[in-house]
Amino acid sequence: MIQVWQHFKSRILGSNPSSINLEDFNVVKEGKAEILFPKKDTVFYNPIQQFNRDLSVCCIKAWDQLYRENRLKKVNKRSSEAEPLEKRRKINDDDDNRRYMKILEALSATGLRAIRYAHEIPRVKTIVANDLLPEAVESIKRNAEYNHVEELIKPNTDDANVLMYRNKSLNQKYHVIDLDPYGTVTPFIDSSLQAVEEDGLMLVTCTDLSVLAGNGYPEKCFALYGGVNMISHEATHESALRLVLHQLGQSAAKYKKIVEPLLSLSIDFYVRVFVRIRTSPIEVKNLQSNTMIVYHCSQCGSFHEQPLGRTSEKVTKKNQTIKKYSVAQGPSVDSKCKFCGGTYHLAGPMYGGPLHNREFIKQVLQVNANHDDNTYGTRRRIEGMLTLAQNEISDAPFYFSPNHLSSILKLQVPPLKKIVAGLGSLGYECSLTHAQPSSIKTNAPWEVIWYVVAHSDGQLHNKKLKENSVGHRILSKMSEWSQDQDFKTLSYEPNEQSGTVESLRKLKIVRYQENPTKNWGPKARPTSSQ
C-alpha cells in the first residue's frame, strides 16, 4: 500500500511543478494564485469566498502598514534625539524592506488562501498552512510547488488547537492568525489568543448563522458564544457580530488582553471580524461597561440597551484623573413595551462598543484602490461595503428599517432620505448600515423614531389599522410618551444628515452580493472519504 501511494505521489507531484500531470486536475486562477484541484475532489473550491480572500489580503496589508508605523514611533521615541539622522533613516529603510511577518492559516484546506498571501503580501516571512486532513495537506504541498512559493509556505498536518498551544509553549507566535472554519470558531479562540503576537491581527469567520442569527437554537447560541441573539428581529445579523466579539473579548480578558475590533462585517451567509490583540490589564477593566444586554419588543421591534457596568471619572486634589468602575443601574425598560404593550425578549450579553476602527478602514480602502479589477474580482464590492462601514455611527448599536415600521403603522413607505431628514432636523445622527439594505442606524431614541415615521405622511389615524393592532396601540399612546420630547424643529426638508446618506446611496458602488449562480453558498464539509 505504501509503495502504491509513493508511486501515485511521484506521478502527480514529481520532483518539480513542471512534472505535474495537469490532465488529473482542474486549474483555478484567483488573485495571483493558480490552484490545482483534483478532478476527483477531496477538497473544494468555493468561488463565492473570493470576496473573503480579497478582503483579507487588503486588511493584512493595511494592518502591516499601521503595525510598522507604530513600531517606528516606538523605536524613534526610545532613540536619542542626538542619534545621527542617517542611523534613524537606516532603521526605517530596513523595516520597510525586511520580511518579518509570520502568518498561520489554521484551517487551510487547499492552501489557496495561504498561496495568495505568499504571492500578494510583500513582507511575509513564513506562512504555516495547517489542516487536519492529510489529503488537504498534500494539496497544499502540490499547490505551493506549482506556484513556486514553497520557500514561504510550510504545510502542516495537525489539529489546529494542538499546533497553536504547542507554538505558544515554545514562544513561537504569529503576527497574523486566520481562522476560517466550517461552522463556529469558538473551539479555536482560546488557543489562537495565546499564539498571536502583541498587536497582532486575528481574522475570524463564523458560518453558523442558523445559530448566531437564527430563531431555533438560543440554548446552543448561549453555549457557544455566551449570549443569545436578537431572535426574530431584523437587526439579528449585527447582534451576531456582537456575540462573536463578546466571546473573543471574554476569552482574551483571562490573559489580561483586549480585543480591538478593526472591521466587523456581516457578509452573505457568514460573519467576518478583523481584530487587533494586545496586552493591557488597565483596559481589560472596560470589559464590563462595554458589555450589554438588549431588551427588544416581540411585537413592534423597538430595542433598548442595558450596559452591565458603569465608568465615571474623578479628578483628585493633585489634578490626576481617576477612573471609577461600578455596577450598572437598571432595568432600562418597564415590564411591557411602552409603545405597544408588547413583551420584551432579552438578548445578550454581547459586545456593546464600536464595530469598526475608521483609521484602519481608511487604510484598507487605500490598499484596495491600488488593486486592479482583473486580479481582485471583488474590488468594487470591497470599496462599497467598507465605505458604508466607515460611515456607520459608532455609538448606535443596531438599525431599523423604515419599510418594517411603515408596515406596522400601515403607512405608505416613506423615502429613506425623508426619515433621515426628519431625524437630522431634531439633532440626531443617522447613517446607513452595511448589514442590511435600506436600513438606518441612529442615536435617536425610539420615541423620536416612531414619531418621525408616523408623521412622515401626515396620517396619524390610518383607517387601515384595526383596533388593538400593534400600529393602533402605538398611535393611540403617542401623545403620552412623546410629551417629554421637543418636536418643534421637526422638518422633512433635506439637511446635512439626509445629504450625507443620499450621497452614499447615489455612489455607483457595489454594496451587496447578488446571486452569481444557482444554489450558491457554502458547500458540504470535505471529508477524506470523498
Side-chain angles (χ1 to χ4, degrees):
M1 185 67 184
I2 294 175
Q3 290 178 339
V4 170
W5 167 244
Q6 288 176 340
H7 171 73
F8 175 78
K9 181 178 177 182
S10 64
R11 183 174 68 87
I12 297 299
L13 292 177
S15 58
N16 57 68
S18 62
S19 66
I20 295 175
N21 185 357
L22 293 179
E23 293 182 359
D24 294 332
F25 301 94
N26 295 316
V27 180
V28 175
K29 180 173 175 56
E30 183 184 294
K32 295 182 179 179
E34 293 186 353
I35 304 299
L36 302 175
F37 285 88
K39 291 182 177 178
K40 182 182 178 182
D41 277 344
T42 53
V43 288
F44 67 81
Y45 169 68
N46 190 352
I48 302 304
Q49 287 288 66
Q50 181 177 355
F51 175 78
N52 186 323
R53 291 182 282 264
D54 286 356
L55 177 62
S56 298
V57 170
C58 291
C59 287
I60 294 175
K61 285 182 176 180
W63 170 86
D64 168 48
Q65 182 67 31
L66 296 174
Y67 178 82
R68 288 183 297 111
E69 286 177 3
N70 290 335
R71 179 180 176 276
L72 289 176
K73 286 178 184 177
K74 293 176 183 178
V75 169
N76 291 334
K77 189 175 180 180
R78 290 195 301 264
S79 300
S80 168
E81 290 297 328
E83 200 168 45
L85 181 61
E86 295 282 333
K87 185 174 181 180
R88 274 183 278 159
R89 282 179 177 167
K90 185 177 185 303
I91 292 173
N92 292 354
D93 291 341
D94 289 346
D95 195 78
D96 281 341
N97 296 324
R98 74 185 181 96
R99 287 184 173 269
Y100 74 93
M101 198 186 306
K102 294 174 288 184
I103 299 178
L104 169 63
E105 190 191 4
L107 307 149
S108 192
T110 62
L112 169 57
R113 191 184 300 262
I115 289 166
R116 287 198 58 183
Y117 290 169
H119 276 305
E120 299 167 32
I121 299 173
R123 275 166 284 278
V124 169
K125 181 180 180 181
T126 303
I127 303 171
V128 176
N130 178 75
D131 204 281
L132 188 60
L133 291 177
E135 293 86 353
V137 177
E138 287 301 325
S139 174
I140 295 168
K141 292 177 181 177
R142 176 171 61 244
N143 284 311
E145 291 184 15
Y146 185 73
N147 283 268
H148 305 285
V149 291
E150 60 269 33
E151 291 185 3
L152 295 177
I153 292 182
K154 310 300 179 190
N156 188 76
T157 310
D158 217 334
D159 178 279
N161 282 324
V162 172
L163 173 64
M164 288 186 282
Y165 280 129
R166 183 192 305 125
N167 287 348
K168 184 260 179 181
S169 66
L170 297 173
N171 201 29
Q172 297 174 351
K173 297 186 177 183
Y174 303 95
H175 296 92
V176 177
I177 295 181
D178 194 326
L179 298 172
D180 192 1
Y182 193 93
T184 181
V185 77
T186 51
F188 310 103
I189 288 177
D190 190 87
S191 57
S192 59
L193 286 168
Q194 297 184 66
V196 68
E197 287 275 9
E198 186 70 9
D199 287 323
L201 178 69
M202 282 179 55
L203 302 80
V204 178
T205 299
C206 290
T207 62
D208 57 332
L209 289 195
S210 61
V211 174
L212 263 175
N215 301 333
Y217 307 98
E219 77 291 347
K220 189 171 183 180
C221 186
F222 189 87
L224 291 174
Y225 298 98
V228 179
N229 69 330
M230 295 175 71
I231 292 175
S232 300
H233 196 282
E234 59 184 347
T236 186
H237 285 271
E238 183 172 323
S239 76
L241 285 168
R242 294 185 178 277
L243 285 168
V244 173
L245 292 170
H246 166 72
Q247 182 61 276
L248 287 166
Q250 292 286 329
S251 299
K254 296 181 295 185
Y255 306 106
K256 301 179 182 179
K257 296 182 178 184
I258 65 161
V259 172
E260 179 191 357
L262 301 176
L263 178 64
S264 310
L265 298 177
S266 172
I267 308 166
D268 304 333
F269 52 85
Y270 61 94
V271 293
R272 178 80 158 163
V273 299
F274 302 80
V275 296
R276 182 160 48 202
I277 311 297
R278 55 191 173 88
T279 305
S280 179
I282 295 294
E283 292 181 85
V284 168
K285 293 182 179 182
N286 294 324
L287 182 65
Q288 181 188 14
S289 57
N290 277 334
T291 302
M292 66 180 180
I293 56 174
V294 182
Y295 297 90
H296 58 103
C297 179
S298 58
Q299 295 189 30
C300 72
S302 62
F303 50 81
H304 309 271
E305 305 88 36
Q306 170 68 67
L308 296 186
R310 288 187 300 160
T311 60
S312 57
E313 293 185 348
K314 180 181 178 182
V315 180
T316 66
K317 293 179 180 179
K318 296 181 179 180
N319 205 30
Q320 293 179 328
T321 302
I322 297 176
K323 206 168 189 179
K324 183 182 178 182
Y325 301 88
S326 56
V327 295
Q329 296 177 347
S332 57
V333 294
D334 295 327
S335 58
K336 295 289 184 178
C337 175
K338 73 176 182 179
F339 305 112
C340 70
T343 301
Y344 280 116
H345 287 170
L346 273 177
M350 63 180 70
Y351 171 73
L355 293 176
H356 317 294
N357 178 308
R358 286 197 172 98
E359 179 192 10
F360 179 77
I361 296 180
K362 180 181 178 182
Q363 189 69 44
V364 177
L365 286 171
Q366 288 177 0
V367 170
N368 186 62
N370 293 325
H371 288 166
D372 65 274
D373 290 332
N374 292 329
T375 304
Y376 296 86
T378 65
R379 189 191 68 81
R380 291 182 65 248
R381 189 186 176 198
I382 291 173
E383 178 190 4
M385 184 170 277
L386 266 64
T387 300
L388 286 181
Q390 187 181 37
N391 286 276
E392 287 182 0
I393 300 175
S394 59
D395 60 348
F398 311 119
Y399 46 84
F400 72 91
S401 165
N403 293 24
H404 175 64
L405 302 194
S406 298
S407 69
I408 292 175
L409 300 177
K410 298 293 188 262
L411 302 175
Q412 182 176 352
V413 179
L416 200 68
K417 61 183 178 182
K418 188 173 185 179
I419 300 301
V420 174
L423 294 170
S425 71
L426 297 172
Y428 298 102
E429 293 182 272
C430 299
S431 73
L432 300 174
T433 172
H434 79 276
Q436 182 169 283
S438 301
S439 296
I440 300 172
K441 291 175 76 74
T442 180
N443 56 1
W446 272 94
E447 290 89 343
V448 173
I449 294 172
W450 280 120
Y451 193 94
V452 169
V453 173
H455 286 77
S456 62
D457 69 351
Q459 299 182 34
L460 282 184
H461 300 285
N462 196 307
K463 294 179 180 179
K464 296 179 182 179
L465 284 174
K466 295 181 179 178
E467 190 171 350
N468 206 36
S469 67
V470 175
H472 184 273
R473 294 200 299 270
I474 290 172
L475 295 179
S476 62
K477 291 184 177 183
M478 187 170 288
S479 59
E480 299 175 18
W481 48 256
S482 64
Q483 58 186 357
D484 294 332
Q485 301 288 333
D486 183 4
F487 295 106
K488 293 178 182 177
T489 61
L490 175 61
S491 169
Y492 295 99
E493 293 300 314
N495 53 36
E496 183 181 352
Q497 288 294 316
S498 62
T500 301
V501 169
E502 193 62 17
S503 64
L504 281 174
R505 297 188 77 203
K506 288 182 177 179
L507 285 176
K508 294 183 178 180
I509 51 179
V510 180
R511 293 174 289 178
Y512 305 102
Q513 177 72 45
E514 297 180 356
N515 291 2
T517 59
K518 186 178 180 181
N519 300 323
W520 72 284
K523 297 185 180 180
R525 183 197 300 268
T527 63
S528 57
S529 60
Q530 283 184 319

